[in-house]
Every structure is written in structure tokens, then in C-alpha cells.
Amino acid sequence: NAGVTQTPKFQVLKTGQSMTLQCAQDMNHEYMSWYRQDPGMGLRLIHYSVGAGITDQGEVPNGYNVSRSTTEDFPLRLLSAAPSQTSVYFCASSSYLSGANVLTFGAGSRLTVL
Amino acid sequence: SQKIEQNSEALNIQEGKTATLTCNYTNYSPAYLQWYRQDPGRGPVFLLLIRENEKEKRKERLKVTFDTTLKQSLFHITASQPADSATYLCALDDSSNTGKLIFGQGTTLQVKP
């Protein structure tokens, strides 16, 4: 049982390049989400999905795209990378504990945009 | 606007003492509040959940309180150990019933032997 797996762990991009951060979970969780973490800013929600085929925007969605074709996978696409997207990205999946959404996070993907 | 605040300054305490971390929020009416632990270079890990109708929750050396009138949660670690050194994040549901969690910026705890 691997939990939430993110790849790559590190990535360096040039401004304008595109890439996809991969996220997979093997817990059969319906809910998945992407956060970015910046110093002093905490975790900010980018996009989330309540099930296969359903996605919605979070607090900071601009410049990012997501899709959810299967329960297991929730990739995050950067369409044209900008230096402001330099950050650590966390994918999470959720189970409901006593009616509350409890997150299981991946190990993170550190992205640098030059 | 909705806001969650945790002490941005690191908390330094001596081993064996009780650490108390604070989470304040405004313009929310959360159904529950959660605390996560994050070690350097790793993703956050869920610790405790407390619901709006619960005043206090305990798990081993951890205790969480939730005061919806003050709009504040306190997170206590009793008999702290150097292994408790980490960043602790509080998180609230955003009251939209979509499962979205909003996180505070975290407080770093350093326990000195």
C-alpha cells in the first residue's frame, strides 16, 4: 500500500515550458487535491476533484490545469511555466473520518522555474 | 475575507515541558478543525480532528481544544521530546460542504534536549 505517490520529486523548468506533475493513489479515495506551499504562505489549494470526471478550482488555479479520468490518478499540468510557479507542490487524497475530510499527502514535488 | 492565523515565529521549548500552539480564524464557521504535522522535505501528516461541538480531544500526549466563540484552537504537546520538533499546521473545512480544507501557515516547534 503505497498511499499517495508523486513524481517527479524535483524538476527545473525554463520560463514558458510545460510539464505535468503526476499523482497516483491506491487507497480508492474519491477526493483528490493539489496544493502549493510557499514560505510564509502555508498550503494553498490549486484544484480539487470529488471523483472521476469532476474537477473544480481552488484558491490559486491560474496557470494550472487538471483532469481526473480515473479514481487513482490526478495529474497537474503547468501550461506555460512562470517563475511565480516556483514552489513545492503536494498532492493529497482524502478519506472521510467521522464525516470530516482527512487528507493523506504525497511526499511533494519541488519545482523551480528559471 | 476568510483568514487563518498561526504563530509565524518558531516556538522553542525545553524537553519535558508542554508546548502550546495557537490557531485563530476569522470569517469561518467550520464544522471541524484538524491538526497536521510536517517534517522538513515531507508532506503533512494528519494528527487529530476536533468537531465544532467538541471542546477538547486527546490522543496520547496530544490535546486539542476548539473554542468556536473565540474562533480559536489550541494544540498542546505534553512532556515534549526532541522528536516532536516539526512544523504543525491547522486546517479548517471552508464551510462549503465540498471537503475543501484551508490551511494556516504553520508554526515550527523546536524542542531542545
Side-chain angles (χ1 to χ4, degrees), chain A residues 43-59:
Chain A
L43 288 160
R44 291 183 292 168
L45 182 63
I46 304 171
H47 285 286
Y48 67 101
S49 169
V50 299
I54 306 169
T55 64
D56 207 345
Q57 296 180 351
E59 179 187 357

Side-chain angles (χ1 to χ4, degrees), chain A residues 89-113:
Chain A
Y89 292 84
F90 289 99
C91 178
S93 70
S94 311
S95 60
Y96 272 81
L97 176 67
S98 301
N101 197 26
V102 174
L103 303 185
T104 299
F105 284 89
S109 298
R110 182 175 292 273
L111 175 66
T112 301
V113 183

